[in-house]
Amino acid sequence: MGPRVGKSSASGRDRVLALRLTRAVAEFLARIDRPGAAVAGLAQGVLSPLLDLAIRLWLAQVFWVSGILKLADWQTALYLAANEYPVSWMNPVSAAYLGVSIEIIGALLLAFGLATRVAAVFLLALTIVIQLEYKALNEHLYWAVLFGWYFVMGAGPLSLDAALRRGIARSAVPLVGPIARATGLLERRARPVFLLVLRGWLGLILAGLSSTGTEGAMRALSGLRFTDPTPAVGALGWSGWILTGLCPILLGLGIATRPAALVAGLLLLAGSSSPLLGELARIDLAYWVLLLGLVALTGPGVLSVDRIVSSVWSRMLGALVAAEAAGATLPHVVIVGAGFAGLSAARGLRHSRCRVTLIDRRNYHLFQPLLYQVATASLSPSDIATPIRELFRDQPNARVLMGRVNDVDVSKRSVVLGEQRVAYDYLVLATGARHSYFGRDEWEAWAPGIKKVEDATEIRRQILIAFERAETTEDALERQRLLTFVVVGGGPTGVELAGAIAELARHGMEGEFRAIDPASADVVLVQAGPRLLPAFPERLSRVAARSLEQLGVRVVLDRRVDSINETGVAIGAEWIETRTVFWAAGVIASPAAKWVNAQRDAAGRLKVEPDLSVPGLGNVFAIGDTALTLAWNGAPVPGLAPAAKQAGTYVARVIRAHLSGRRPPPPFRYRHLGSLATIGRQSAVVDFGPARFSGALAWWLWGAVHVYFLVGMRNRISVAWDWFWAYLTFRRGTRLITGIEALVGLLMITWS
């Protein structure tokens, strides 16, 4: 027994040492991997679909133009098919008809990404015939490779195939099941081989640039034609040795494949003007950038050293996690709120040795800055909301709970979630804020704010019903009340909401009503202070006021609201008859400060330490609109998405430092990235500190920034398309009156 116990103890110590070593390596690699993972995620989510779309459109336009030109001069097309490039085994007339059909139909299918594999097969066959029967060109070989790519890989996310895949697979269309299974089998079996061959082909051609002696071999292996001999690569210096020596080896074996493809592409671009790279770089450069870009964004495939190393490492990490789970409970980080701050904190703990639980009362993350566009029928709620579980599908240490937090028991370190308690080791409060009526909460019944999807759809309902009722009423005074809209609050939300209502009335409903002119609607923006957008420079505030007035908005400054009821609004001595009032005048933080019994300011925000922890509670943090944090100028950090994301990322760093026993980061410092607000069509203001501008450029920049900050590629594409369509047509696509209240409103219209 004795020797066996000793041997068991020794093996146990060995396992502990192995686990500690593996954990240390894992933490080191994770720390290195974070920026790389962020870049890879951006590339995979944004650049890869765009590159795929660009390649499809480029190839499609080549064949589309060729087909249209032949159709426009059919006699010449028949002559060419019979004399210039006859196909020995096909009748010239049949060849012309078939070729033009493939060019036009295949190009359309490829451009839209519909039945992409089928289109790619026919276009590939046509390309091979052109290369063999007509004229051999390097360009044809690149076409063949790219069509082979689409046959094996299919189209990317920006395609009809991707949009319809799930619905068609579950439909009753004949043979769709076997076709889907065959397509899946093709991709699983052929994808690794195709990527291996592609990497090897690219590597061989790059290696062939190194000396004139290999030119003949390269011609035979690649099929590419070079008009000038390529001199020795020694004249290119160290970059030449990397391009033709190191990169081919890395690409061929699949070692550091993405960086190797990226470096090769950059070196080709940098040396494209040099005669030393010959015709390959000068004429075929665009295709080389596309092919290397595909490899860099897609990765090396299964048949590569990268994948083998990744697989081995994943198994080691899996064993480590299983061993830790069996031996001890990992620290538990609970994050309350799935706004920008909460999401950033959870993502920042992705590679940390902890369990993360994200709690929110809704199952989706909402992009609040664009809620007013839902309220004014420019966007639908699904355009600016993303399911939280979808966002954390690939984060194994994260769990999502849907529920409303009622309290926090600091003494027992638990969050009260209805009847349930969730214990925590670290707590992050990112519960946001709601609109404040400055002690006049009874006004909420007549002047709804806009903080939730429900708020936005309710405002949209009120706006649209006001126009519908104005169309049917015979009372001129009531019609004027219905066509008067008052927005209280001159910050970004109020300015953007007032401008959007004015645009909807003047452009979005043109020609749709008979008894009223929607453009005659009176939109009033009330601001208690001396100017709009008080957080912006005074010059930009004047620009915003002038732009609103050009849209037809009446701007009322230095006047406070004294009363609101169902018939109108009292602003000082003026009484405005209206049925529709919207509140955008102020916010108050969630009751998080009450939960932890901590000091708060007049707006309910928790006063926090420099590391964003709650005073006296080192393991409890408050971020985003929940916290009172001072910026570089001594004022509170603004309630902007970049500020919330910075705070969430910072708190994740603090918690990681605690978990690993490292020195904590320096105090939180908010980096102001600028402020933006849009007023209307081609009108916005931008404050980037030294750079302050307005007008059309600011408007385009505002749109680009907001699309970038949206969560999820589908949302970005959907919003960009909706905006582009509305810009071209002046039409709003989501003018739906929904809900029980809508039915009551329509009944009232009928009865009146």
Side-chain angles (χ1 to χ4, degrees):
M1 287 294 294
R4 284 198 295 271
V5 171
K7 186 179 295 184
S8 175
S9 301
S11 62
R13 286 194 298 271
D14 291 342
R15 282 197 299 272
V16 170
L17 289 174
L19 283 174
R20 287 178 178 174
L21 178 60
T22 306
R23 183 187 303 131
V25 174
E27 290 177 352
F28 174 74
L29 291 179
R31 205 174 307 150
I32 295 176
D33 183 58
R34 281 186 194 106
V39 173
L42 175 64
Q44 197 69 25
V46 179
L47 299 181
S48 183
L50 293 177
L51 180 62
D52 167 79
L53 178 63
I55 293 174
R56 286 192 285 111
L57 293 177
W58 187 6
L59 292 173
Q61 64 88 22
V62 172
F63 286 84
W64 170 264
V65 170
S66 174
I68 293 297
L69 289 176
K70 290 173 183 175
L71 279 181
D73 190 354
W74 186 244
Q75 292 304 318
T76 301
L78 291 176
Y79 173 81
L80 293 174
N83 299 283
E84 293 296 324
Y85 42 84
V87 179
S88 58
W89 41 271
M90 184 175 288
N91 179 276
V93 176
S94 301
Y97 275 111
L98 181 59
V100 170
S101 299
I102 292 175
E103 286 180 334
I104 293 179
I105 299 174
L108 283 174
L109 293 176
L110 188 68
F112 288 101
L114 180 63
T116 310
R117 287 186 168 90
V118 176
V121 167
F122 282 98
L123 289 168
L124 174 60
L126 181 62
T127 300
I128 292 173
V129 170
I130 294 172
Q131 178 76 359
L132 297 179
E133 300 288 342
Y134 174 48
K135 187 174 184 180
L137 295 175
N138 288 353
E139 191 172 25
H140 301 157
L141 294 175
Y142 294 122
W143 291 352
V145 172
L146 290 170
F147 288 137
W149 175 280
Y150 283 110
F151 173 65
V152 174
M153 306 291 189
L158 302 182
S159 66
L160 290 178
D161 282 345
L164 302 175
R165 183 179 294 120
R166 180 175 297 181
I168 291 179
R170 298 179 180 179
S171 69
V173 177
L175 300 178
V176 70
I179 292 173
R181 288 192 292 272
T183 300
L185 181 64
L186 169 69
E187 187 166 349
R188 288 194 302 273
R189 298 291 175 83
R191 179 189 180 103
V193 177
F194 183 84
L195 285 172
L196 176 64
V197 173
L198 177 60
R199 295 193 335 258
W201 184 69
L202 294 174
L204 283 171
I205 298 173
L206 287 176
L209 296 174
S210 60
S211 68
T212 56
T214 59
E215 184 187 354
M218 287 303 101
R219 285 180 176 178
L221 286 169
S222 67
L224 295 178
R225 270 82 175 163
F226 302 90
T227 57
D228 299 319
T230 307
V233 78
L236 291 174
W238 63 267
S239 60
W241 290 113
I242 293 176
L243 177 64
T244 63
L246 180 60
C247 286
I249 295 174
L250 296 179
L251 286 173
L253 296 177
I255 302 174
T257 311
R258 295 177 191 268
L262 181 62
V263 168
L266 292 175
L267 289 176
L268 282 173
L269 283 172
S272 60
S273 60
S274 170
L276 295 177
L277 287 183
E279 187 178 3
L280 177 66
R282 293 201 309 274
I283 298 179
D284 305 339
L285 180 63
Y287 290 102
W288 271 89
V289 171
L290 293 179
L291 289 170
L292 290 170
L294 286 173
V295 173
L297 294 174
T298 306
V302 175
L303 303 178
S304 64
V305 175
D306 283 347
R307 184 58 62 88
I308 295 171
V309 172
S310 175
S311 177
V312 172
W313 181 243
S314 296
R315 287 198 295 271
M316 291 175 61
L317 285 181
L320 172 62
V321 171
E324 288 183 328
T329 302
L330 293 174
H332 191 199
V333 181
V334 174
I335 301 171
V336 183
F340 285 108
L343 288 187
S344 297
R347 285 171 169 167
L349 296 170
R350 178 183 183 90
H351 298 293
S352 300
R353 291 183 56 252
C354 64
R355 295 174 294 130
V356 178
T357 297
L358 183 61
I359 304 174
D360 198 278
R361 59 182 176 175
R362 298 178 182 84
N363 76 326
Y364 56 84
H365 164 77
L366 178 65
F367 188 70
Q368 286 190 354
L370 291 181
L371 264 178
Y372 82 94
Q373 296 234 346
V374 175
T376 53
S378 293
L379 300 174
S380 67
S382 62
D383 290 333
I384 62 170
T386 306
I388 302 170
R389 294 188 185 279
E390 179 182 323
L391 298 175
F392 291 94
R393 179 184 298 165
D394 298 326
Q395 185 168 335
N397 71 335
R399 178 191 183 197
V400 177
L401 292 180
M402 179 179 170
R404 183 187 292 271
V405 173
N406 309 114
D407 201 359
V408 174
D409 191 335
V410 177
S411 61
K412 295 183 179 179
R413 292 192 173 189
S414 62
V415 172
V416 181
L417 191 66
E419 299 297 323
Q420 181 184 2
R421 285 178 175 262
V422 180
Y424 66 83
D425 295 295
Y426 297 92
L427 175 63
V428 180
L429 298 172
T431 46
R434 57 185 178 86
H435 36 266
S436 170
Y437 291 88
F438 307 111
R440 302 296 298 271
D441 292 345
E442 67 274 12
W443 291 351
E444 186 171 10
W446 314 111
I450 182 168
K451 279 291 183 182
K452 309 186 295 291
V453 166
E454 294 81 1
D455 297 335
T457 54
E458 169 61 17
I459 289 175
R460 182 182 68 189
R461 186 191 67 82
Q462 290 190 23
I463 293 172
L464 298 178
I465 281 186
F467 285 103
E468 296 293 340
R469 293 181 62 187
E471 172 77 1
T472 60
T473 185
E474 300 296 333
D475 185 340
L477 180 59
E478 178 64 11
R479 178 176 292 171
Q480 184 59 42
R481 290 195 192 102
L482 290 167
L483 291 179
T484 300
F485 302 90
V486 177
V487 179
V488 181
T493 301
V495 167
E496 292 173 347
L497 181 59
I501 294 173
E503 279 206 328
L504 174 65
R506 281 151 182 77
H507 303 299
M509 299 180 176
E510 185 178 6
E512 296 184 2
F513 293 86
R514 301 296 177 262
I516 64 169
D517 178 10
S520 65
D522 186 19
V523 182
V524 183
L525 177 61
V526 182
Q527 166 71 339
R531 62 187 179 93
L532 300 177
L533 301 175
F536 284 72
E538 189 171 349
R539 182 181 67 83
L540 295 182
S541 295
R542 291 195 300 270
V543 170
R546 189 164 56 249
S547 299
L548 284 171
E549 289 167 351
Q550 290 172 354
L551 273 175
V553 177
R554 182 157 65 96
V555 178
V556 179
L557 300 175
D558 260 338
R559 307 266 291 279
R560 292 184 178 275
V561 173
D562 296 321
S563 176
I564 302 175
N565 60 34
E566 70 275 15
T567 62
V569 179
I571 307 172
E574 182 182 4
W575 175 259
I576 300 177
E577 297 275 351
T578 179
R579 294 291 190 188
T580 314
V581 184
F582 302 124
W583 189 266
V587 296
I588 188 169
S590 70
K594 296 180 181 178
W595 296 344
V596 296
N597 193 26
Q599 189 178 6
R600 56 188 181 273
D601 68 353
R605 293 174 295 191
L606 268 163
K607 296 184 177 180
V608 294
E609 300 286 0
D611 65 350
L612 303 186
S613 64
V614 177
L617 301 172
N619 65 333
V620 179
F621 301 86
I623 55 178
D625 291 341
T626 309
L628 174 62
T629 313
L630 297 183
W632 76 100
N633 57 1
V637 170
L640 302 175
K645 295 180 74 171
Q646 289 178 33
T649 302
Y650 174 83
V651 163
R653 290 177 57 201
V654 173
I655 293 175
R656 291 200 306 266
H658 286 184
L659 293 173
S660 60
R662 300 195 311 270
R663 179 181 299 176
F668 174 70
R669 181 178 177 82
Y670 168 61
R671 299 181 303 280
H672 187 56
L673 302 179
S675 301
L676 307 93
T678 183
I679 295 99
R681 187 182 182 84
Q682 294 200 46
S683 180
V685 291
V686 171
D687 176 20
F688 285 154
R692 298 169 179 174
F693 51 96
S694 58
L697 176 61
W699 183 73
W700 284 103
L701 181 61
W702 175 92
V705 168
H706 280 69
V707 167
Y708 170 78
F709 274 106
L710 280 166
V711 176
M713 178 52 62
R714 191 203 70 82
N715 287 1
R716 295 188 183 108
I717 295 169
S718 175
V719 169
W721 170 253
D722 285 345
W723 282 349
F724 180 67
W725 182 256
Y727 179 78
L728 293 178
T729 65
F730 287 91
R731 291 290 181 262
R732 309 291 179 99
T734 54
R735 288 187 285 119
L736 306 179
I737 302 174
T738 58
I740 299 297
E741 296 85 351
L743 178 60
V744 173
L746 291 174
L747 288 174
M748 290 174 63
I749 292 173
T750 304
W751 291 338
S752 62

